[in-house]
Amino acid sequence: MKFIAVIRQVPDGESRLRIGGNRVDLSSATLILDQMDEYGVEEALRLKEKHGGEAIAVGFGPERAEEAIRTALAMGMDRGIHVVYEGYADPVTVAEALAPVLKEEAPTLVLTGGQQADWDSQALGAALAEALGVPVVPWTTALELEGETAKAKHDLDEGAEWVRVKLPAVFTTQQGLNEPRYPTLPGIMKAKKKEIKKVAFQGKGRVEILEETIQEKARLQRILDGKDPVAAAEELVRLLHEEAKVI
Amino acid sequence: MILVVLDHDGTKLRKGSLEALTRARQLAQALGERVAGVLLAEERAPLEEARGYVETLYVAELGPYTAEKWAAGILEAAREGVKAILAPSSRQSRAYLGRVAYALKAGLLEDTLESWAEGGQVYATRYAYLNRVTQKVKSAPPVVLTVKPNTTPLAEPLGQMGEVVTMNVPPVATVEVLERVQEERKGVSLTEANVVVTGGRGMGSAEAFKQVEELAALLGGAVGATRAVVDAGWRPYGEQVGQTGKTVQPSLYIALGVSGAVQHLAGMNKSKYIVAVNKDPEAPIFKHADYGIVGDVHQVLPALIEAVKKLKD
């Protein structure tokens, strides 16, 4: 069996974003393996541990994204494939870039994060599924293999459902599916020697980003001391009523 | 043609569908196109209501929702060629529209705040980087576009009934739905509420949420919860606010015993006013708050309820 986790490198959500020119400048940001993708890496490792086979990390992004693939290898993935592309690509284009690689590998299933922490897209899993002509199960919180099929629980907009799906299929991952492991020191040492195959992508995105602006609203920061809870609560309600006029 | 996916809850069109319709009419005018609707049914669909909004309505009975079936239905409706397909933003719409966008090799513009057409190109604004950045993007048609809730005025009916085109959608059966867990929703819906009162792990127990409910009810708002609270089983998943839950943008967001993890902030950082109550003055949520109280939520919350009651008298 072959389990593929599709991953990307993104800025750490805690790191400060800067604008250079009219675009987000990531040159001083801390870049990490997207946390939503980590659940996919962990699930691929668990499936391999349980059912045997191979676990492969497939990354998309610029040269520097190799660090994120190394992180996945340090967690235990067997090998990596890096589809190299500088700049922004929309999910349809990313799926186009990854489809030939995934088809060649012919995996049992493919996992990828439910939402990207940089472009806030939730569509890569669905676009990949269409590219491969297989079903998609978005926002998966439980996954079990049963022969040629998988049984999975996933979230809907309201509620959740259990589905049975014929494999291969694409699953998008999220918090709750599992608890991703940390890379160990021996894992990090071993990862240095694992293969990362580089694949160039010559295509061009359909969606162009024209401008990016930081929209962090300046907050009033009027923080009251709650040692006297009744007085603090009354003052807060007065401020919300008279100053903010929201109640 | 500009195609609008008229999403519904089995009895009536969702508000988001009427927002998507407004956007579709704007794009249709700028691009010199006509608007058609597609209504994908799960038994009872609001056919008559939907007919009131479009001149042409493509309809198919597809049984229980799966992304594959919905994508097939939309692609069937789009067979004669589309310049744009619009739908309300939701987890489900992104799953089927991701497929549709790939099948049509279209530019996918997700969760847009505004959209317009100029010189034959489609432009939109949207958030990125966990809601911290606003992007202006453009794509040549065809585009697939989702409309962020509460960004757009609702469309009015046309005053005449549209023509119904019944479609034969080839069967797709790759996903079998075994069991659906529906959530009961009471009071005002979380994503549409003007006031949201969210409890975090600091609430300490499921019982403590009775008071969160009381405060929300007093303010005419909805109850929210953090991931930790949902994972603990104190509140249902449908109340979760954050990257893996719902995104809200009320006038007033009250965070009680919430630390302010990045994933939570991504779901509420566009609220007009943010209020935080937490005993830890170093909690990250205070950096994002307009007003706050550093104090024990178990003492502050009852006092807040009393203070709001007093104000109302």
Side-chain angles (χ1 to χ4, degrees):
Chain A
M1 292 196 177
K2 205 184 262 185
F3 307 103
I4 288 187
V6 170
I7 61 166
R8 291 182 55 256
Q9 187 192 40
V10 297
D12 186 336
E14 308 277 358
S15 71
R16 235 188 139 64
L17 292 175
R18 289 190 322 170
I19 295 287
N22 58 358
R23 293 290 301 274
V24 170
D25 171 12
L26 294 178
S27 56
S28 59
T30 310
L31 297 162
I32 56 166
L33 167 60
D34 196 330
Q35 287 174 310
M36 284 259 185
D37 293 337
E38 272 185 22
Y39 299 108
V41 171
E42 177 63 35
E43 200 63 18
L45 291 171
R46 289 185 187 197
L47 287 167
K48 183 199 147 175
E49 282 155 9
K50 196 168 170 189
H51 302 279
E54 196 182 17
I56 306 158
V58 175
F60 178 89
E63 271 303 336
R64 60 167 165 74
E66 187 180 316
E67 293 159 32
I69 301 173
R70 289 274 171 222
T71 304
L73 296 179
M75 286 169 75
M77 301 295 272
D78 296 307
R79 61 184 164 97
I81 301 172
H82 182 186
V83 179
V84 184
Y85 187 77
E86 298 289 335
Y88 168 72
D90 53 277
V92 169
T93 305
V94 178
E96 267 182 330
L98 296 180
V101 172
L102 297 179
K103 279 180 184 160
E104 195 185 315
E105 292 288 344
T108 310
L109 58 83
V110 177
L111 300 143
T112 193
Q115 183 180 355
Q116 303 169 343
D118 51 357
W119 301 323
D120 289 12
S121 174
Q122 297 182 9
L124 179 59
L128 276 176
E130 183 68 23
L132 300 174
V134 303
V136 60
V137 181
W139 299 103
T140 312
T141 52
L143 177 58
E144 296 154 23
L145 293 194
E146 293 177 344
E148 304 281 291
T149 65
K151 194 178 153 191
K153 189 182 184 193
H154 76 125
D155 289 335
L156 301 167
D157 287 298
E158 280 153 18
E161 67 184 8
W162 280 98
V163 294
R164 177 169 290 120
V165 63
K166 201 171 168 304
L167 296 173
V170 177
F171 298 83
T172 82
T173 54
Q174 63 161 320
Q175 192 178 352
L177 175 62
N178 55 42
E179 205 51 63
R181 67 195 69 185
Y182 290 103
T184 58
L185 190 58
I188 294 166
M189 299 311 288
K190 264 192 232 161
K192 288 184 178 163
K193 291 190 194 123
K194 288 180 184 170
E195 180 207 355
I196 298 180
K197 184 175 148 195
K198 297 276 178 179
V199 179
F201 175 62
Q202 305 298 347
K204 195 170 166 294
R206 289 166 181 80
V207 178
E208 190 185 336
I209 299 175
L210 302 170
E211 194 183 307
E212 289 176 317
T213 48
I214 303 270
Q215 289 284 304
E216 272 173 283
K217 193 180 164 214
R219 295 291 174 182
L220 300 174
Q221 301 267 294
R222 300 192 51 168
I223 312 300
L224 311 167
D225 188 328
K227 277 201 194 80
D228 180 346
V230 174
E234 284 184 350
E235 176 62 3
L236 175 63
V237 168
R238 187 190 69 78
L239 288 167
L240 292 176
H241 180 63
E242 289 174 13
E243 197 177 271
K245 296 185 169 60
V246 282
I247 62 173
Chain B
M1 182 169 78
I2 309 289
L3 190 64
V4 188
V5 182
L6 296 171
D7 192 12
H8 59 90
D9 63 7
T11 52
K12 58 180 194 316
L13 296 180
R14 291 189 199 276
K15 216 176 108 188
S17 300
L18 303 183
E19 293 188 61
L21 256 167
T22 299
R23 295 275 200 94
R25 287 176 186 172
Q26 290 164 352
L27 284 184
Q29 193 168 24
L31 294 167
E33 295 282 325
R34 67 191 180 89
V35 176
V38 56
L39 185 71
L40 301 172
E42 199 180 315
E43 296 160 39
R44 289 174 304 129
L47 182 70
E48 292 307 306
E49 186 191 0
R51 282 181 67 196
Y53 286 93
V54 286
E55 284 171 35
T56 312
L57 182 66
Y58 294 94
V59 177
E61 290 255 357
L62 297 177
Y65 165 85
T66 70
E68 286 65 36
K69 286 195 274 190
W70 255 235
I74 292 160
L75 286 169
E76 181 65 29
R79 249 153 71 105
E80 284 161 43
V82 288
K83 285 275 168 66
I85 298 178
L86 293 97
S89 280
S90 66
R91 292 182 157 195
Q92 278 153 242
S93 73
R94 257 156 314 183
Y96 56 73
L97 291 178
R99 299 198 76 107
V100 168
Y102 190 91
L104 298 175
K105 296 288 155 60
L108 178 59
L109 310 174
E110 290 169 82
D111 240 345
T112 60
L113 304 162
E114 294 170 284
S115 49
W116 66 99
E118 218 177 281
Q121 302 277 310
V122 177
Y123 294 79
T125 56
R126 61 183 302 273
Y127 295 137
Y129 296 92
L130 302 179
N131 260 3
R132 294 194 290 169
V133 166
T134 303
Q135 290 180 330
K136 183 178 163 190
V137 293
K138 106 174 167 177
S139 174
V143 298
V144 169
L145 192 147
T146 68
V147 176
K148 194 176 174 66
N150 302 327
T151 57
T152 312
L154 305 187
E156 296 290 335
L158 293 177
Q160 65 192 52
M161 294 307 243
E163 173 206 6
V164 173
V165 180
T166 305
M167 300 187 292
N168 276 318
V169 180
V172 195
T174 48
V175 178
E176 181 194 352
V177 178
L178 301 173
E179 184 195 347
R180 191 159 288 181
V181 191
Q182 290 286 6
E183 268 165 8
E184 288 251 348
R185 207 178 60 198
K186 45 184 176 180
V188 50
S189 110
L190 188 56
T191 46
E192 290 167 10
N194 207 33
V195 176
V196 173
V197 185
T198 288
R201 208 198 312 250
M203 294 306 302
S205 68
E207 292 69 46
F209 273 82
K210 286 214 179 70
Q211 289 189 318
V212 178
E213 283 181 357
E214 190 180 351
L215 182 60
L218 276 171
L219 297 171
V223 172
T226 62
R227 177 93 214 189
V229 163
V230 173
D231 283 347
W234 298 347
R235 302 298 294 185
Y237 169 70
E239 289 180 2
Q240 188 180 310
V241 174
Q243 191 188 2
T244 58
K246 294 203 164 80
T247 302
V248 298
Q249 199 172 344
S251 298
L252 174 61
Y253 188 88
I254 303 181
L256 303 166
V258 172
S259 64
V262 176
Q263 291 82 356
H264 183 71
L265 294 170
M268 47 62 88
N269 61 7
K270 296 293 175 205
S271 302
K272 193 165 172 208
Y273 287 97
I274 294 173
V275 173
V277 178
N278 198 305
K279 65 178 179 214
D280 176 9
E282 303 298 320
I285 189 79
F286 283 121
K287 291 199 194 88
H288 303 270
D290 294 291
Y291 301 98
I293 298 177
V294 177
D296 183 349
V297 73
H298 301 291
Q299 292 172 7
V300 174
L301 178 53
L304 268 176
I305 291 169
E306 287 313 310
V308 173
K309 279 185 182 160
K310 213 164 148 192
L311 177 74
K312 296 215 157 181
D313 291 339

